[in-house]
Structure formats: structure tokens, C-alpha cells
Amino acid sequence: MFQRNYETVFILTPVLSDVQMKDTVDKFVNLLKEEGADVINVENWGLKKMAYTIDKKTTGFYVLVEFKADPTIIRKFELEFRRDEKVMRFLTTVLEKHGIAYAERRRKGEFNKKVEAKEEATK
């Protein structure tokens, strides 16, 4: 089985409670696992303001999922996004070698300049 690295960012409607939001994220992660994908990382970016309105909403819950899967799974995964009315937008991209390296560095926290600046200021 040929597997590729993918990254999916999706935006959930802001009218959800925290429990509903977590259940929706778990639903998509479990779908990936049931299909044989290896989920590498799930990041909840929280409620963010969007650049433009979608369905008369200016904010949304942003979630990032990194996973390794067979390319045939993507069609079924994205179909579930389209069917779920809680999902406002989604984007799945294939990660090449540079994208994989960048994602690993991001997970390790190399790009958290605000945190590093605060730590240096307290020293």
C-alpha cells in the first residue's frame, strides 16, 4: 500500500460548543484511522477571525490534521467534510519532502517566536 503525507485544515462553524467541536474533530480523526491512515498530529488552532465572511459568519474554529494515508482515502474523507453542515471550509494538501520537514519543525515549536521572546525577556 502506497502512502503519502497529507495535511488538512478545516474550519468549523463558530456556533458550536467546545464539546460539539471536539466531537466533530474526533469524528474525522476516527474516520481516518478506520480507513487505515496514520494520524501524525492534530492541532486545534481555536476560534479565529476569518479574512472574509462565510455564511454570514466572521469567525470559525480552525483545526489542522496531519496524516499519512493511501491516496484513495482522500475522496471519501473529503466527501464526509461536504456532508457535514458544521464544516464551513476545508483544504487537503499533499506534503512533499520540504513540507514534511517544515511540519516536523513546527511541531517541535521552532517557530514560536513570541514564546521565545517572552522567555528571553524574563531571564
Side-chain angles (χ1 to χ4, degrees), residues 4-114:
R4 299 182 90 169
N5 288 334
Y6 293 95
E7 180 176 87
T8 298
V9 176
F10 56 98
I11 306 171
L12 299 174
T13 183
V15 298
L16 300 175
S17 69
D18 285 341
V19 174
Q20 291 172 321
M21 191 252 323
K22 289 176 184 171
D23 288 344
T24 305
V25 172
D26 290 341
K27 176 182 113 174
F28 291 115
V29 170
N30 290 334
L31 175 70
L32 284 172
K33 290 179 180 177
E34 288 170 6
E35 294 295 325
D38 179 27
V39 178
I40 299 168
N41 186 29
V42 178
E43 291 181 19
N44 181 359
W45 292 347
L47 189 67
K48 301 262 185 200
K49 185 171 177 169
M50 296 185 288
Y52 56 91
T53 59
I54 301 172
D55 298 330
K56 298 181 182 177
K57 294 175 179 66
T58 57
T59 60
F61 289 105
Y62 282 68
V63 180
L64 168 87
V65 180
E66 291 176 56
F67 59 98
K68 195 173 204 175
D70 188 77
T72 58
I73 294 173
I74 301 303
R75 177 171 277 156
K76 184 175 182 180
F77 185 54
E78 290 187 346
L79 180 63
E80 287 300 317
F81 279 127
R82 288 183 183 94
R83 287 182 177 162
D84 195 332
E85 61 188 28
K86 298 173 195 155
V87 177
M88 296 193 311
R89 290 285 190 275
F90 66 91
L91 179 66
T92 301
T93 56
V94 178
L95 295 178
E96 299 298 333
K97 66 180 183 179
H98 299 294
I100 294 168
Y102 179 83
E104 288 174 4
R105 291 176 60 199
R106 189 187 72 243
R107 282 194 303 268
K108 291 178 185 176
E110 288 187 30
F111 304 115
N112 293 339
K113 293 182 180 180
K114 292 179 183 176

